[in-house]
Amino acid sequence: MNLDVGLPPSLPPSREMHSIISENSNPIPKKKVKQGSLFSDGLENLLMQHTDGQLALKNRKKLSNDCRQKICKLIVSYLLSNRTDIKADTFTRAAEEIVELFPTEKKETYFIPYSSGKEGLRKQSARGKLWSRYIYVKASFRVANTSKAVDDHNINVEDNKLPETDEKLEFLKVSIEPYTKVLQYWESTFHTRTRIYANKTLQEIFDDFPALSLQTGLDLLESDFNQANEDKIDIIYQEWPKVARAILKEALDRKIKLVNLDDFDNNTKALLVLPLLFSVVTLRKGTKQNTNCWRPTRSETQESFFINVNAFSDIDQLIETREKKLLAYGFPMQPFGAVVGIEEKQFCIVLYGKKFVVNSSIRVLELLYKVIHALNLEYPIECKHIWLFIQEIVFKTVTTSKHSSTACVIADISNQIEQEAKQ
């Protein structure tokens, strides 16, 4: 296997790099190597050998997301130059060395190992920037090898899947366990699946892959999103806490009454209050000559986004009511979230009529966004304006078009965040 993993070449520095690299021709002196380091000359010396690494070292007090990506690219490239597969403990050690060199960073940003769900913990696939880079490079190898295997008869590489990929897809279509094998095959078939199922319905996708109906199905869909959006994997944990505080402060400034919310944490309160910041919108579907108009109430908007109910049975009734209303106007039923219970609270996502329990409200928000994008779904029509707000202000993805109500709330919350930062 040719492991040309794209280490940046040692080219003359650009103008902006003059402040990083000495103008004389003397080599940069090596730093003392940490005992037991994964890297033969130590991580700092590895970074100093490349302009991208030097840029990261210059900004070590506070790394930008771009610098983090550059560090991960160099590390994964180095590790893959010596082996074809990297074990979880290697990623853990690499993450620890990053944090030692860059003290303001968090190990969890770079690697969180697979969790089997024992001792009351939920099952969770491996994640983090190092892992995502590794999965991306491995997938690139597979695509490159497939391309080399194509003959000269103008065969489309996309239509000439490796037999190994076909076997893995067949396994996924009939199997729900063992979970580690399902996850491995799911991740390795990412590019093929996203092409084949780009225009499939939700029913067709769930019918073809039974593992999606299990609780761990959310992990599979999340892995798809993470492979396609490396820079958004953990961004919600950086952005949402300050957005949540800003939402509650804005509600207070607007004198919105927060009724029966004392028992909730701030993240959950913010999700329940957020729809109240938006003006009611009118939905239209059809031609100019034959247009169906619907103006969802605030309650209907709330129910399509994140709802508080006493019992899981209340969700079933809600689904039945919403499906009838949506069918009448020609709109599909899309995923939404809920907090369930009176004294003991549980959180869940409702997707394709199935309830998936998760451990917190911020996890509900994260997985809803990732699942909607992984499955290429539309936002729920009643709360699309709210999701466009979340897309732009939490996940830092600019929207091509947004309702005026969305633009107003983005401006108000951004102002609250700015005011907090000045204090």
Side-chain angles (χ1 to χ4, degrees), residues 1-135:
M1 182 179 187
N2 179 15
L3 293 176
D4 180 9
V5 291
L7 280 171
S10 300
L11 297 175
S14 57
R15 289 183 179 179
E16 60 264 32
M17 294 306 300
H18 282 315
S19 61
I20 303 172
I21 304 174
S22 174
E23 292 183 0
N24 61 44
S25 59
N26 295 328
I28 300 174
K30 287 187 176 182
K31 300 291 183 179
K32 183 178 179 180
V33 181
K34 172 195 169 186
Q35 187 175 4
S37 173
L38 280 173
F39 313 94
S40 57
D41 291 328
L43 177 57
E44 185 169 7
N45 286 323
L46 172 66
L47 298 180
M48 289 174 63
Q49 293 172 20
H50 307 279
T51 54
D52 282 348
Q54 292 164 12
L55 181 62
L57 290 170
K58 184 188 177 186
N59 295 279
R60 72 169 68 197
K61 289 185 178 180
K62 186 176 181 181
L63 291 178
S64 66
N65 198 54
D66 181 59
C67 283
R68 295 186 183 105
Q69 303 286 29
K70 293 180 188 300
I71 291 169
C72 290
K73 181 178 179 181
L74 289 169
I75 289 176
V76 172
S77 296
Y78 174 88
L79 294 175
L80 281 175
S81 67
N82 297 312
R83 69 204 83 181
T84 58
D85 290 296
I86 307 175
K87 294 183 179 180
D89 62 341
T90 302
F91 285 111
T92 299
R93 290 173 59 195
E96 290 171 350
E97 290 201 42
I98 292 173
V99 173
E100 287 180 14
L101 187 57
F102 301 94
T104 60
E105 293 298 289
K106 300 293 184 183
K107 185 172 68 173
E108 292 78 11
T109 300
Y110 296 92
F111 185 64
I112 300 175
Y114 163 75
S115 171
S116 64
K118 294 180 180 180
E119 299 179 358
L121 299 175
R122 66 179 179 85
K123 288 184 179 180
Q124 177 177 292
S125 58
R127 57 197 299 202
K129 293 185 179 297
L130 285 170
W131 177 256
S132 296
R133 178 64 191 175
Y134 171 66
I135 293 299

Side-chain angles (χ1 to χ4, degrees), residues 168-185:
K168 290 179 179 179
L169 285 174
E170 290 305 313
F171 173 85
L172 291 170
K173 289 180 179 181
V174 298
S175 304
I176 60 174
E177 57 183 18
Y179 173 71
T180 52
K181 186 174 182 179
V182 170
L183 178 61
Q184 179 186 358
Y185 281 14

